[in-house]
């Protein structure tokens, strides 16, 4: 044995045949007479620690007996390769130091209802599946930012408190802002990130966004995180090409670096391996026709008239027709945001697209070419019943050095739900905020 080393479980393979000290929490414990099996987690991984009574002191064995689920401890022992062990290694325990003993931990290995688990979300995040989900979330965020950085994008942070709406005025969270009147929690950083685009050319913002719509579906949160790139001199087709490269890079990185977490979640990897460009594209018109002819294939999917937006059942039906994400482009301008560029060949539709994830997970990206003509933008602001004075700064971006430009926003939680194979978005963020949930 070499000199004692302190390490993490994730790097335990580097210490085979050595004596190490691991610090962590007891995930579970099994006692079999003179043998005690401790499953230790330290945040990086788990390892089984074997306490054999004849190999340790009486005090060490007594400490091992005292340990309960989620008790904190330091365990010293020899690292031994074992193909039968979940991690491929076990720790032959030599000493156990108790840091704290947990009494009556509320989340036991038995089944618990979702409401109970959500009330104990601060503890539920320690469980194997929640731990895997949140590691995948962290990887998606890192992959998104690092890919954009490598493409020459600059992160340009935008305000959470805003004076204006970006996605309509009916779903805003408002508050009084000193003596300046009402302020609102941002629905998107897009309007502000456009000013960064005019400075740096290629930018993105990343942060929390808020929607006050009273939705209780498994795809909705009232607080969620978005990453929003914006590119100068980019048209609608450039925008779609950027999105498919971006999404593909994220998925492939998660497959490469978080395969063990995907295994814990029992995620089928084959559909993810197919997430490579190009992605199929349907016009809004083609999507309406597809729904008309195949609506019977999905429960609750009914034909809709031109000019109506898609519901979850419609998105599921469309996505089922393809083995990778699909763009729905050129929606009617009347149902989209005021800043979207009309198609010059057909002004009643906008140069925009929603990206629907495969396997029925719904929209993960919304994007468009932006209006760059100040006269047209001002007209659209008036059509939407918005105050020109509130958007004076936004119009300035068109008055001084205007260029065609495009951008999009990807919801982190929806992307994580899709990549991880998790049906409900509430488990893809540490503390979900929903219509009837503000605790913990």
């Amino acid at each position: 044995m070499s000199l004692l080393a302190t390490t993490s479980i994730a790097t335990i393979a580097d210490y085979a045949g050595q004596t190490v000290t691991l610090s962590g929490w007891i995930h579970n414990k099994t006692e079999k007479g003179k043998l005690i099996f401790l499953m230790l987690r330290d945040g990086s991984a788990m390892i089984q620690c074997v306490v054999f009574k004849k190999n340790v002191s009486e005090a060490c064995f007594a400490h091992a007996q005292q340990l309960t689920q989620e008790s904190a401890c330091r365990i010293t022992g020899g690292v031994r390769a074992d193909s039968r062990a979940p991690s491929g290694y076990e720790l032959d325990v030599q000493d156990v130091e108790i840091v704290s003993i947990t009494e009556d931990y509320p989340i036991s290995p038995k089944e618990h209802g979702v409401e109970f688990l959500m009330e104990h979300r601060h503890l539920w995040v320690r469980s194997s599946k929640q731990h895997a989900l949140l590691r995948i979330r962290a990887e998606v965020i890192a992959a998104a930012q690092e890919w954009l950085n490598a493409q020459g994008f600059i992160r340009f942070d935008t305000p959470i408190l805003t004076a204006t709406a970006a996605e309509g005025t009916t779903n805003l969270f408002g508050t009084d802002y000193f003596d300046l009147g009402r302020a609102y929690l941002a629905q998107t950083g897009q309007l502000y990130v456009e000013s960064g685009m005019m400075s740096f050319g290629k930018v993105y913002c990343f942060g929390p966004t808020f929607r006050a719509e009273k939705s209780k579906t498994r795809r909705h949160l009232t607080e969620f995180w978005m990453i929003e790139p914006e590119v100068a001199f980019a048209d609608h087709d450039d925008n779609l090409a950027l999105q498919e490269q971006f999404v593909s890079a994220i998925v492939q990185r998660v497959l490469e670096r978080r395969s063990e977490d995907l295994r814990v979640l029992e995620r089928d990897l084959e559909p993810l391996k197919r997430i490579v460009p190009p992605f199929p594209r349907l016009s809004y018109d083609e999507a309406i026709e597809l729904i008309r002819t195949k609506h019977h294939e999905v429960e609750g999917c009914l034909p809709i008239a031109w000019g109506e937006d898609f519901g979850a059942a419609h998105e599921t039906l469309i996505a089922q027709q393809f083995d990778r994400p699909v763009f729905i482009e050129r929606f009617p301008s009347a149902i989209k945001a005021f800043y979207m560029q009309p198609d010059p060949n057909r002004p009643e539709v906008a140069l925009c697209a929603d990206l629907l994830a495969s396997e029925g997970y719904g929209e993960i990206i919304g994007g468009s070419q932006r209006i760059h003509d100040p006269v047209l933008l001002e007209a659209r602001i008036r059509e939407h019943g918005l105050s020109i004075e509130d958007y004076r700064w936004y119009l300035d971006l068109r008055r001084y050095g205007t260029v065609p430009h495009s951008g999009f926003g990807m919801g982190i939680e929806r992307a994580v739900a899709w990549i991880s194979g998790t049906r409900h978005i509430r488990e893809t963020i540490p503390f979900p905020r929903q219509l009837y949930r503000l605790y913990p």
Side-chain angles (χ1 to χ4, degrees), residues 61-293:
F61 197 78
H63 287 167
Q65 288 179 310
Q66 292 176 54
L67 292 172
T68 57
Q69 183 185 0
E70 290 305 316
S71 290
C73 59
R74 296 186 182 92
I75 299 179
T76 299
V79 180
R80 173 170 50 84
D82 188 334
S83 59
R84 299 168 300 174
S87 66
Y89 294 88
E90 285 190 339
L91 199 70
D92 289 328
V93 175
Q94 300 168 7
D95 190 34
V96 174
E97 177 190 346
I98 295 174
V99 176
S100 67
I101 294 293
T102 293
E103 301 290 348
D104 302 320
Y105 187 68
I107 302 179
S108 64
K110 71 176 185 179
E111 289 290 325
H112 295 282
V114 170
E115 189 62 28
F116 175 88
L117 292 171
M118 292 303 295
E119 286 290 313
H120 294 83
R121 182 63 176 168
H122 52 296
L123 303 177
W124 191 25
V125 295
R126 304 179 187 183
S127 71
S128 298
K129 289 193 173 182
Q130 300 306 309
H131 187 266
L133 274 168
L134 295 179
R135 285 176 72 90
I136 290 171
R137 175 192 172 91
E139 195 68 50
V140 167
I141 291 170
Q145 293 198 90
E146 289 171 23
W147 189 86
L148 289 170
N149 293 344
Q151 306 304 311
F153 283 76
I154 298 293
R155 177 166 171 171
F156 186 86
D157 293 328
T158 57
I160 291 174
L161 285 170
T162 72
T164 55
E167 302 289 348
T169 58
T170 60
N171 58 356
L172 293 165
F173 286 106
T175 185
D176 292 325
Y177 194 79
F178 304 112
D179 297 327
L180 298 180
R182 296 293 282 172
Y184 305 95
L185 295 180
Q187 302 160 305
T188 172
Q190 183 229 305
L191 272 61
Y192 291 93
V193 86
E194 285 186 51
S195 66
M197 174 270 303
M198 293 288 282
S199 176
F200 296 100
K202 296 196 293 186
V203 294
Y204 68 94
C205 62
F206 175 58
T209 53
F210 306 85
R211 302 289 168 86
E213 58 187 301
K214 294 185 176 181
S215 175
K216 296 187 290 184
T217 79
R218 62 181 175 84
R219 296 180 178 179
H220 286 85
L221 295 169
T222 56
E223 176 186 319
F224 58 98
W225 287 66
M226 276 222 292
I227 190 160
E228 301 178 78
E230 200 78 21
V231 185
F233 302 100
D235 64 16
H236 174 64
D237 288 330
D238 297 327
N239 198 23
L240 300 195
L242 178 66
Q243 290 175 48
E244 60 191 8
Q245 293 166 22
F246 177 67
V247 169
S248 177
I250 292 169
V251 172
Q252 298 311 313
R253 173 160 157 171
V254 172
L255 279 170
E256 176 188 350
R257 301 193 184 186
R258 298 266 67 90
S259 59
E260 178 58 25
D261 294 312
L262 293 169
R263 185 196 64 78
V264 168
L265 297 169
E266 301 178 340
R267 178 59 157 115
D268 181 1
L269 303 186
E270 290 307 311
L272 296 180
K273 293 176 182 178
R274 294 192 290 267
I275 309 305
V276 292
F279 295 167
R281 302 180 185 186
L282 285 181
S283 69
Y284 173 86
D285 296 342
E286 290 169 331
I288 290 286
E289 180 60 20
L290 188 152
I291 291 167
R292 187 188 68 79
T293 59

